[in-house]
């Protein structure tokens, strides 16, 4: 099917430091251009530069842009860069027929139906029910959550701020750890208290206080490295608690959304230690919901390992939202 002027769509995955662009036509996506955000004062100039090099003077008719930040009215003010991504301004300025600006985790949710077995590592459960909601959660810089819902042939990716909900405790040890963080942080959210890079560090520091352990300062990468190497017992305990909490939170969100199609783990942290996650209490804690244990036992959990899943999601969104 020919789309607009050239049949091409500009796809972009825009973060605070780097942005990636590609041109898509039909089911084919061209090479990805990597752009440093600091090299361009505005996203408009970055896009114009990419198109000047890639589009052969024939601009694509549409653009679908994933951004690492909250989107309101097709507009995102980036947190860690000076760029403002405003679809309603970019559309006439660059000659597009339409521009869609989407939250990055919304885009990951759109990718889920198209991911193949090679893109995933299974973490328990059954096959999932066709047509039921698909949930993706992701610890990274923050904690992203989005749910893809399909009804009567139409799809919608629900964008949430679930990472700012209160971090739950499942046992007395976790209660003591969270109480320690509460004295320092006030409200302890899922994101700040555990399931992010800074959250993993908060967990490590609170656990060291609870256990009276004298350990060196470590950031999330160092905690993970020490845990996997076996060089620091407290780091290993911290990563174990991180995985257990991830299971509890994912299970809570699965029953909240009725995500019987499956729960997917994405983000920048967990793909670094798939074997550790699989051997942890993650799946047991995911299912540990009392009377609803059988309900959760059937829901599959999978780790997303495909590095360019965002471009799959951008393409899926563009196909589903054709003019």
């Amino acid at each position: 099917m020919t789309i607009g002027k050239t049949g091409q769509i500009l796809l972009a995955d825009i973060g605070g430091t780097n942005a990636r662009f590609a041109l898509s036509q039909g089911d084919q996506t061209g090479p990805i251009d990597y752009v440093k955000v600091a090299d361009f004062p505005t996203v408009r100039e970055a896009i114009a530069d990419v198109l000047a090099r890639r589009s052969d003077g024939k601009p694509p008719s549409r653009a679908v842009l994933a951004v690492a930040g909250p989107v309101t009215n097709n507009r995102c003010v980036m947190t860690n860069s000076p760029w403002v991504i405003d679809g309603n301004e970019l559309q006439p300025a660059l000659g597009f027929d339409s521009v869609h600006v989407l939250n990055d985790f919304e885009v990951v949710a759109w990718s889920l139906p198209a991911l193949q077995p090679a893109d995933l590592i299974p973490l328990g459960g059954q096959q999932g029910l066709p047509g039921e909601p698909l949930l993706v959660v992701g610890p990274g810089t923050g904690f992203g959550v989005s749910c893809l819902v399909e009804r009567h042939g139409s799809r919608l990716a629900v964008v949430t701020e679930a990472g700012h909900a209160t971090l739950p405790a499942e046992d007395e040890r976790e209660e003591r750890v969270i109480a320690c963080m509460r004295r320092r942080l006030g409200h302890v959210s899922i994101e700040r208290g555990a399931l992010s890079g800074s959250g993993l560090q908060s967990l490590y520091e609170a656990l060291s206080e609870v256990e009276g352990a004298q350990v060196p300062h470590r950031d999330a990468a160092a905690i993970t490295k020490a845990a996997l190497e076996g060089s620091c017992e407290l780091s290993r305990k911290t990563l174990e608690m991180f995985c257990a909490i991830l299971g509890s939170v994912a299970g809570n969100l699965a029953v909240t959304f009725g995500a019987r199609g499956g729960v997917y783990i994405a983000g920048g942290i967990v793909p670094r230690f798939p074997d550790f996650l699989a051997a942890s209490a993650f799946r047991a804690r995911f299912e540990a919901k009392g009377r609803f244990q059988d309900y959760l036992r059937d829901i599959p959990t999978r780790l997303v390992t495909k590095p360019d899943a965002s471009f799959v999601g951008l393409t899926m969104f563009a196909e589903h939202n054709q003019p």
Side-chain angles (χ1 to χ4, degrees):
M1 177 178 179
T2 300
I3 300 173
K5 305 179 186 75
T6 65
Q8 290 184 321
I9 305 169
L10 176 71
L11 309 177
D13 182 10
I14 301 170
T17 304
N18 299 295
R20 301 184 296 163
F21 297 92
L23 291 172
S24 172
Q25 185 161 15
D27 59 357
Q28 300 296 317
T29 299
I32 295 173
D33 265 297
Y34 291 80
V35 171
K36 288 190 177 298
V37 170
D39 289 345
F40 296 91
T42 68
V43 69
R44 174 181 170 180
E45 289 168 273
I47 292 174
D49 179 74
V50 170
L51 294 181
R53 291 184 285 107
R54 292 290 186 185
S55 65
D56 299 323
K58 300 176 181 177
S61 59
R62 303 167 60 198
V64 185
L65 315 177
V67 296
V71 177
T72 304
N73 296 326
N74 210 33
R75 183 177 188 266
C76 176
V77 178
M78 299 293 288
T79 303
N80 298 314
S81 87
W83 283 8
V84 175
I85 294 90
D86 190 325
N88 298 328
E89 290 183 1
L90 291 172
Q91 180 180 336
L94 292 169
F96 293 115
D97 292 338
S98 67
V99 177
H100 291 279
V101 181
L102 309 176
N103 170 266
D104 55 351
F105 251 78
E106 180 181 3
V107 168
V108 177
W110 273 100
S111 78
L112 299 179
L115 295 181
Q116 302 301 309
D119 305 325
L120 305 164
I121 295 175
L123 296 168
Q126 304 302 315
Q127 292 301 310
L129 298 179
E132 291 300 307
L134 303 173
L135 177 71
V136 59
V137 304
T141 304
F143 183 67
V145 177
S146 186
C147 186
L148 189 70
V149 180
E150 183 170 350
R151 289 294 182 269
H152 310 297
S154 181
R155 286 177 179 165
L156 171 68
V158 180
V159 183
T160 83
E161 292 295 343
H164 302 291
T166 303
L167 177 65
E170 293 283 332
D171 56 37
E172 291 183 5
R173 183 163 171 258
E174 287 180 8
E175 286 173 358
R176 293 198 299 274
V177 169
I178 291 172
C180 178
M181 288 189 283
R182 191 179 299 118
R183 289 192 293 271
R184 185 171 69 252
L185 301 174
H187 176 249
V188 181
S189 68
I190 293 168
E191 180 177 298
R192 290 189 75 193
L195 301 184
S196 67
S198 61
L200 182 61
Q201 186 175 331
S202 291
L203 207 59
Y204 171 81
E205 292 168 355
L207 191 58
S208 70
E209 184 175 331
V210 167
E211 297 203 350
Q214 299 296 317
V215 290
H217 171 80
R218 288 186 168 99
D219 61 13
I223 294 165
T224 302
K225 184 173 184 290
L228 298 178
E229 290 176 347
S231 60
C232 172
E233 180 69 10
L234 189 81
S235 293
R236 183 187 61 78
K237 290 179 179 179
T238 301
L239 200 61
E240 287 175 346
M241 185 174 285
F242 174 95
C243 293
I245 290 172
L246 179 60
S248 289
V249 169
N252 288 346
L253 291 166
V255 295
T256 299
F257 284 101
R260 293 185 293 173
V263 174
Y264 296 76
I265 313 300
I269 295 178
V270 183
R272 300 175 185 177
F273 47 87
D275 293 339
F276 191 98
L277 179 68
S280 74
F282 166 80
R283 182 69 200 191
R285 289 278 290 265
F286 177 83
E287 296 180 8
K289 299 293 180 237
R291 293 175 298 165
F292 255 57
Q293 186 161 339
D294 289 343
Y295 179 96
L296 283 148
R297 187 178 292 124
D298 290 338
I299 296 176
T301 46
R302 303 178 176 110
L303 177 63
V304 178
T305 57
K306 187 175 180 62
D308 57 349
S310 57
F311 281 92
V312 176
L314 289 163
T315 302
M316 292 287 288
F317 177 88
E319 290 177 354
H320 199 76
N321 292 271
Q322 298 199 34

